[in-house]
Amino acid sequence: MEIIFSPAIALMSRLKYPAKFAAMGLLAVLAIGFLLTSLIVGQSTAIRLAGNERAALELMGPMHKQVQLTQQHRGLSAGYLGGNAAMKPKLDAKQAEVAKAIKEVDAIEARHAAMLRTTSEWTAVKADWDKLRGGLEAMKVPETLAAHGALIERSLRLQVQAADAGSLVGDPDIDSFYIIDTLIHRLPAMLERLGKVRAKGTGTLSKKEISEADKVEFQVHLAVLKQTLDVL
């Protein structure tokens, strides 16, 4: 250690006391400046991450509502296209609710688009909804189930994208990590599978018949749901 500091010791020994105090003061100022700079950078990063998290959370609520209403619309459309004409008024009302939910997401997404980088994918989600809504009357039950399923899967991927951009995923606190992972990945996937079962069941009840393939599909969905619940 003496060898390392010997040049500084030799320099200080040549200086007079006023110069020594001035040099020591300068070193102290530099050290304090370095610490303050590190503190400011750290606080700025924490503030930025908190802003990202807040933006993502603000968007997640309306997006979850949009997905939930789309799932309900799927069930009603399956029943209506399966032959239950009495579901048409409910289907139209639900369609209006989806449109309103999309406008709510629009308003929030526009505020945080630059931060969360969701505009391109959200535009694609809206285009898929417009296409589904416009062609619904000409669809058969399997077609509407497939179209809704693709739209919902895309919406769920967008939620994950927003959560990633908002730094929600990968929280260093282990408890927060598991809660966020459940809310963003596990629970939406389980609810979507449950929604598929509900929509398929509504369509089957409207047709008043069930094929062997439908029975197998129900059994697969229920088995996966049970497995998912066991993991949660």
Side-chain angles (χ1 to χ4, degrees):
M1 293 295 291
E2 185 177 348
I3 296 174
I4 295 174
F5 291 107
S6 58
I9 295 171
L11 176 63
M12 293 295 289
S13 64
R14 295 193 186 111
L15 297 176
K16 295 181 179 180
Y17 282 107
K20 289 180 180 180
F21 286 126
M24 292 173 65
L26 177 61
L27 290 174
V29 168
L30 290 174
I32 292 172
F34 174 76
L35 291 174
L36 286 175
T37 300
S38 299
L39 178 62
I40 291 170
V41 170
Q43 290 297 318
S44 298
T45 301
I47 291 171
R48 178 178 57 81
L49 290 176
N52 291 352
E53 289 178 354
R54 186 164 53 251
L57 288 171
E58 188 179 354
L59 184 61
M60 296 296 283
M63 287 186 66
H64 173 72
K65 181 180 178 182
Q66 173 257 327
V67 169
Q68 186 180 45
L69 291 171
T70 304
Q71 290 169 330
Q72 294 170 3
H73 182 271
R74 172 177 54 192
L76 290 169
S77 68
Y80 169 65
L81 295 174
N84 188 348
M87 285 189 170
K88 186 64 166 65
K90 293 182 180 179
L91 178 63
D92 291 341
K94 190 62 62 177
Q95 195 162 290
E97 289 183 52
V98 175
K100 182 180 178 181
I102 287 175
K103 288 183 179 180
E104 291 175 0
V105 176
D106 271 337
I108 298 175
E109 194 276 334
R111 290 203 300 269
H112 304 302
M115 181 185 298
L116 299 178
R117 302 184 297 277
T118 49
T119 300
S120 176
E121 192 63 18
W122 174 238
T123 301
V125 168
K126 291 190 291 183
D128 286 350
W129 165 251
D130 289 338
K131 182 179 178 181
L132 188 157
R133 178 175 52 84
L136 185 65
E137 291 286 348
M139 291 183 182
K140 296 180 180 180
V141 173
E143 293 171 338
T144 191
L145 294 179
H148 278 87
L151 171 60
I152 292 165
E153 290 295 335
R154 190 166 207 163
S155 299
L156 292 176
R157 287 198 303 271
L158 180 57
Q159 288 188 26
V160 174
Q161 177 185 328
D164 286 340
S167 305
L168 292 177
V169 180
D171 194 297
D173 182 77
I174 190 66
D175 293 332
S176 297
F177 170 80
Y178 280 118
I179 291 172
I180 292 171
D181 180 62
T182 299
L183 292 176
I184 293 174
H185 293 101
R186 298 173 186 269
L187 191 58
M190 185 193 72
L191 292 175
E192 169 55 6
R193 187 168 292 276
L194 187 60
K196 288 179 178 179
V197 173
R198 181 178 59 204
K200 184 75 174 178
T202 302
T204 300
L205 289 172
S206 296
K207 291 187 299 181
K208 295 182 174 60
E209 62 180 20
I210 183 169
S211 66
E212 288 300 321
D214 289 337
K215 292 179 182 178
V216 171
E217 185 176 348
F218 280 124
Q219 290 172 353
V220 170
H221 282 308
L222 292 173
V224 175
L225 278 171
K226 183 180 182 304
Q227 185 179 21
T228 304
L229 284 172
D230 291 340
V231 173
L232 287 177

